[in-house]
Amino acid sequence: MTPLGQTPDAFWANLVAGKPGIGPMTLCDPTEYPCRIAGEVRDFDPTQYLDSKESRRMARFSQLAVAAGLTAVESAGLDISREDPYRVGVVLGNGNGGFPTLEDNCRVLAERGGMRMTPFFFPMVLPNMAAANVSRYLGAHGYNATATTACASSNQAIGQALDVIRRGAADVVLAGGTEAGISQLGLAGFAVMRALTTHNEEPEKASRPFDANRDGFVPSEGSAILVLESLEHALGRNAVIVGEIAGFGCTSDAGHLVQPEESGASAAEAMRLALLDAGVGLQEVDYINAHGTSTPLNDALETVAIKRLFGDRAYQIPISSTKSMIGHSLGASGSLEAVACLKTISEGVIHPTINYQVPDPECDLDYVPNQSRQSNVRVVLSNAFGFGGQNACLVFRKFET
């Protein structure tokens, strides 16, 4: 469920074409704020997936997750009713929970009194409710958890799901992330930090990772869920295997509240640990899907971290930012980028970083500017770095029998 389409194929086709999914913000009134554009999942109708009563009792981040979960299970040909339901888990990442619902009910509290708030307030706003609703709707009774590590949440969730399967606690885990925080509350919080772009006149050009004129990220939303399973289980049911989650690495900067650590050491270590976990050497990495938020500090310091780990080879590795086309969906971003990584491997195409026009001396690597590139990609490294200095990196690998 993305600003570029509500199926993996539609999402991927638009990424490869370099099509931006950014437009005027419609989910809230942004008039008072310096950023008035967003990456929205337009024309999303939750009643295509939920009955109307259930839909009204879920915040948008849960609605998106249930829609993604239902379509993921269908496309994977997984019939949970034929599985041991306690061997099927759900691990999702999100940063905020139901921010718009929180804002709406705070208004009710202030204007009409607390007893006029919805009785579904807590089941709607709590961050864990997306994972709870996915498991409830799909009948997955097994391991269930929510990762809330800001913008690293989805990568954290997928990595945690990998560990759950490896240690034998589940055969299948639905893993990914969801976020739907576009609201005045969220907009104001980021605006006063000066984290958002102000390029409102040309929304399609506002997200410009690694470009010298980048000035902040574009707020976005979305959800993607992967069906992860052990190889034995996948082969046992003749599943179509689209790729392998091979490694996970996680570190903390243990430093600034929101700014990345200047030396890039902690981010580089998260990448190193993910590659080590996957048994992949530095020379084997064919592509890096960058965190690439389009903020001045993040893009420069992610470049520093990549060069710190890979040395001179950093200049030989294609790197691109999915966020250049969809904006920054915060806790959901890693899950959307996971789909892009798997499609990169299966299709042999690296999507571009669009809006890269003015080179930045501090960002001097190969960011696959503006045009897709044909490439035989076997190993992908995907980065996600969150507020609080929480870093989560994944390694995706082509499945080979």
Side-chain angles (χ1 to χ4, degrees):
M1 302 293 142
T2 82
L4 284 179
Q6 297 179 31
T7 68
D9 288 342
F11 175 52
W12 179 244
N14 286 320
L15 285 179
V16 170
K19 181 179 179 181
I22 311 300
M25 193 177 296
T26 66
L27 291 171
C28 74
D29 181 1
T31 305
E32 298 180 12
Y33 302 99
C35 179
R36 297 185 291 278
I37 59 176
E40 299 179 349
V41 183
R42 301 184 188 276
D43 302 319
F44 172 67
D45 179 5
T47 61
Q48 290 184 1
Y49 309 94
L50 302 156
D51 67 53
S52 58
K53 181 184 290 187
E54 283 281 3
S55 173
R56 291 194 301 272
R57 294 175 177 179
M58 286 188 198
R60 185 174 171 92
F61 82 111
S62 278
Q63 294 172 349
L64 290 169
V66 171
L70 287 169
T71 53
V73 167
E74 181 181 4
S75 67
L78 179 68
D79 184 352
I80 295 178
S81 68
R82 302 182 65 179
E83 304 285 337
D84 178 348
Y86 291 96
R87 300 287 298 170
V88 181
V90 179
V91 184
L92 299 185
N94 67 83
N96 296 325
F99 251 33
T101 303
L102 176 63
E103 178 187 306
D104 290 344
N105 280 269
C106 284
R107 284 203 178 97
V108 172
L109 174 66
E111 296 171 5
R112 299 166 59 195
M115 293 307 295
R116 303 302 296 272
M117 289 169 53
T118 173
F120 296 99
F121 174 71
F122 280 122
M124 292 176 78
V125 303
L126 293 176
N128 69 295
M129 293 309 296
N133 282 317
V134 169
S135 65
R136 184 167 65 91
Y137 244 73
L138 294 177
H141 287 262
Y143 187 99
N144 194 286
T146 300
T148 305
T149 51
C151 308
S153 296
S154 288
N155 272 16
Q156 187 88 27
I158 294 169
Q160 187 174 334
L162 172 65
D163 290 341
V164 167
I165 293 174
R166 281 176 170 172
R167 64 184 173 85
D171 299 317
V172 181
V173 179
L174 307 179
T178 186
E179 200 84 90
I182 297 174
S183 60
Q184 289 191 345
L185 180 64
L187 191 59
F190 284 122
V192 295
M193 293 176 61
R194 299 183 180 179
L196 300 177
T197 183
T198 59
H199 288 291
N200 298 300
E201 294 74 19
E202 296 181 291
E204 68 281 0
K205 297 181 180 179
S207 185
R208 48 184 77 181
F210 306 106
D211 184 88
N213 291 330
R214 66 191 184 277
D215 71 333
F217 72 82
V218 175
S220 181
E221 63 172 0
S223 179
I225 292 178
L226 312 177
V227 177
L228 272 61
E229 52 192 312
S230 67
L231 178 60
E232 180 182 11
H233 187 274
L235 294 177
R237 68 179 190 88
N238 295 316
V240 176
I241 299 173
V242 299
E244 177 187 356
I245 312 288
F248 170 56
C250 175
T251 63
S252 173
D253 290 355
H256 196 279
L257 282 173
V258 294
Q259 294 180 7
E261 192 269 325
E262 291 184 359
S263 75
S266 294
E269 180 65 5
M271 290 185 264
R272 189 190 72 83
L273 290 172
L275 294 170
L276 180 67
D277 187 39
V280 169
L282 299 180
Q283 296 297 321
E284 296 178 82
V285 176
D286 300 311
Y287 164 63
I288 297 174
N289 187 286
H291 189 51
T293 60
S294 189
T295 59
L297 272 178
N298 173 85
D299 295 358
L301 294 179
E302 182 171 13
T303 299
V304 167
I306 292 170
K307 290 194 284 191
R308 183 184 182 103
L309 178 63
F310 287 93
D312 290 341
R313 184 157 193 272
Y315 292 91
Q316 303 167 11
I317 305 173
I319 301 164
S320 65
S321 171
T322 307
K323 295 180 183 71
S324 66
M325 286 170 272
I326 62 172
H328 192 356
S329 55
L330 308 176
S333 58
S335 67
L336 306 185
E337 289 154 10
V339 176
C341 290
L342 290 164
K343 282 289 192 180
T344 299
I345 291 170
S346 64
E347 302 298 325
V349 180
I350 297 173
H351 76 67
T353 302
I354 68 167
N355 301 322
Y356 185 86
Q357 301 296 333
V358 182
D360 181 347
E362 293 188 317
C363 299
D364 58 348
L365 300 178
D366 176 7
Y367 304 111
V368 192
N370 303 313
Q371 296 291 328
S372 293
R373 185 181 301 172
Q374 299 285 329
S375 182
N376 181 21
V377 176
R378 181 176 173 271
V379 175
V380 174
L381 175 65
S382 182
N383 291 336
F385 309 129
F387 275 5
Q390 294 177 285
N391 310 307
C393 300
L394 295 168
V395 175
F396 299 88
R397 184 163 52 199
K398 185 173 185 176
F399 175 69
E400 298 173 335
T401 56

